Amino acid sequence: MAERPYIVGNWKMNGTRSMLSEARAIDRASQRLMKVEVALAPPFTLIHATHKEVEQIGVGAQDCHAGEEGAHTGDISAAMVLDAGAKFVILGHSERRQDHGETNEIVRDKTESALAAGLRIILCCGESEETRDAGKAEEFVTGQLRASLPASVAAMLESGPETLTVAYEPIWAIGTGRTPTVADISAMHRAIRATLVELYGEDNGSAVRILYGGSVKPDNATELLSADEVGGALVGGASLSAENFLGIVMAAVDLPE
Ligand code: PEP
């Protein structure tokens, strides 16, 4: 694995200022765990406060608009989340694709805009249960990835692999307590790796981290993080409590080198 494991918490639509104590606890513990890179994506309303509260961990957004500014009531641009203290943005999460009709083209435009603003990207992809049962999961996920990546990623990767992280999140595993087998996760991560190498060459394509997301908990983290080509985890529900999230971070710390 080229980089340190990357463990990212996605708070989704959870959290008011009372949750900052969890962010603080995660940050304080992470200061002693340099083997792992830790980050949190709180809701927009807590980005600035979280950024002010923490010293070690990364802070990011869960979405941004593709436009730079203008008449988009209720939307937030990449420059705005950067200004609030975010260093990265999660794009293409299946809940955005489902709840807001985000297509691959929209995700690609958002990715382009966020990269141009100077944000790192966590790009999500993942299949439905129906697609997996039909035996089309790899074809679907790699197609989704290709269609969501703008051409500008290639140049950005020249300046550092941390520009892009891919998160494989099977939709049927998110928030359900169900997870794919380690063999299935490894097979999908290898297919994503092959796609990245084809798009960006051996060096840059191999250096991009691929996270697994979907019902990662302290008690299954070691097994899931040990799967081939898994460079960390994107964690929803279990990131809302410092105790649970740090259990996952500790599993990453204890992985064999
Ligand atoms: C997510 O939505 O990114 C996620 C992985 O959620 P959970 O960990 O709750 O399955």
Side-chain angles (χ1 to χ4, degrees), residues 9 16 28 33 46 70 76 87 98 120 122 140 156 158 178 197 201 203 213 234:
T16 55
R28 296 302 176 265
L33 306 171
L46 289 180
I76 311 273
K87 296 285 185 289
Q98 276 170 353
R120 290 164 55 170
I122 298 179
F140 178 85
M156 295 289 182
E158 292 295 333
R178 296 166 57 206
V197 166
D203 287 353
L234 182 54

Side-chain angles (χ1 to χ4, degrees), residues 82-239:
L82 190 76
D83 183 58
K87 296 285 185 289
F88 70 92
V89 60
I90 298 171
L91 292 173
H93 193 284
S94 59
E95 288 157 10
R96 299 283 324 166
R97 293 178 188 264
Q98 276 170 353
D99 297 356
H100 300 271
E102 288 192 9
T103 60
N104 290 331
E105 290 67 34
I106 291 172
V107 175
R108 190 186 59 213
D109 290 349
K110 289 183 173 199
T111 304
E112 180 141 40
S113 173
L115 284 172
L119 289 166
R120 290 164 55 170
I121 310 296
I122 298 179
L123 187 63
C124 300
C125 52
E127 81 286 356
S128 65
E129 187 159 33
E130 201 180 17
T131 302
R132 175 153 289 272
D133 289 347
K136 296 196 166 142
E138 287 183 22
E139 181 191 331
F140 178 85
V141 168
T142 55
Q144 196 179 40
L145 192 59
R146 284 175 195 277
S148 303
L149 285 164
S152 56
V153 169
M156 295 289 182
L157 285 177
E158 292 295 333
S159 54
E162 63 284 348
T163 309
L164 176 70
T165 299
V166 172
Y168 166 56
E169 300 205 306
I171 297 169
W172 51 273
I174 293 179
T176 59
R178 296 166 57 206
T179 57
T181 64
V182 168
D184 283 345
I185 294 174
S186 297
M188 182 62 82
H189 280 234
R190 281 196 291 268
I192 292 171
R193 176 69 67 213
T195 303
L196 293 170
V197 166
E198 190 191 319
L199 290 172
Y200 305 121
E202 186 65 39
D203 287 353
N204 291 343
S206 300
V208 171
R209 279 182 295 201
I210 309 171
L211 311 183
Y212 168 74
S215 296
V216 180
K217 310 277 178 234
D219 60 1
N220 63 13
T222 301
E223 187 187 17
L224 297 172
L225 289 168
S226 302
D228 195 24
E229 293 287 0
V230 171
L234 182 54
V235 183
S239 71

Side-chain angles (χ1 to χ4, degrees), residues 7-11 22 26 30 37-40 57 218 233-251:
I7 307 295
V8 184
N10 171 15
W11 280 4
E22 300 300 308
I26 291 165
S30 298
E37 185 175 351
V38 179
L40 282 180
I57 64 171
L234 182 54
V235 183
S239 71
L240 295 171
S241 121
E243 188 185 349
N244 286 335
F245 190 59
L246 288 169
I248 296 167
V249 172
M250 285 311 298

